[in-house]
Each structure stands twice: as C-alpha cells, then as structure tokens.
Amino acid sequence: MSQQPATSDSNVSREEILEVASLARLGVDETTANSYANEISKVLKLMHTLGNVDTTDVKPLSNIHEACQDLRADVAEHNINRERNQSVAPAVEDGLYLVPQVIE
C-alpha cells in the first residue's frame, strides 16, 4: 500500500480495503470493499477541504461549548419542594423514591 498524503483527488481503492482487511483478518467481500473504498474516499476529500480552510484568526477551543454555553451561578439553594417533586414519581415511601430491584 502506498503512503501518500491526502490530496483532493486521493481515492482509496477496493484493493487497498481488501489488503487492510486481510492484514486485520477481517472477512470483507467485494461489494463491501467497494462501498468502504467509496465512503473513505469521500471522508478523505472532506478532510482535504477542511484542511484548506483558513483558520489564521480563529482561536482554538478546549471545549466546543465554551464559546456559547452560559452557565448559571453555582449557588446552593435550600428551597426544594420535596412533595411537589415526588408527586410525579411512580412510587415514593417515607420521602424516598422507590425503584425496581435490579440486583438479586
């Protein structure tokens, strides 16, 4: 298998899929190998397109949500209405939620 950098016209061949499947000892038939080759080629083309995007002025994120997620203040509140919260529970006893036994 040749090791070439991905380019906009890079395609994965059916033969490459079958070779990798053989090395991994996976049973892959011709039809599936063609499908995998087609799908992986699409992903590589997309990655090449993304690699060409100019991100010079884009600040890296450590978390995808940090740019848009507003969190409430972490303040303890003691105004919990237990009766109201438990009124929708299927089973309650002595202020506790009853759940089905899962371990015998």
Side-chain angles (χ1 to χ4, degrees), residues 82-104:
R82 180 178 290 192
E83 290 78 25
R84 187 188 74 216
N85 292 341
Q86 291 184 337
S87 68
V88 296
V92 176
E93 185 177 301
D94 297 326
L96 302 174
Y97 294 95
L98 299 179
V99 297
Q101 181 177 344
V102 294
I103 299 175
E104 294 181 28

Side-chain angles (χ1 to χ4, degrees), residues 23-43:
L23 292 171
R25 300 194 189 288
L26 298 173
V28 177
D29 60 38
E30 296 282 330
T31 304
T32 304
N34 283 329
S35 174
Y36 288 169
N38 185 29
E39 294 301 316
I40 291 172
S41 294
K42 287 180 185 178
V43 171

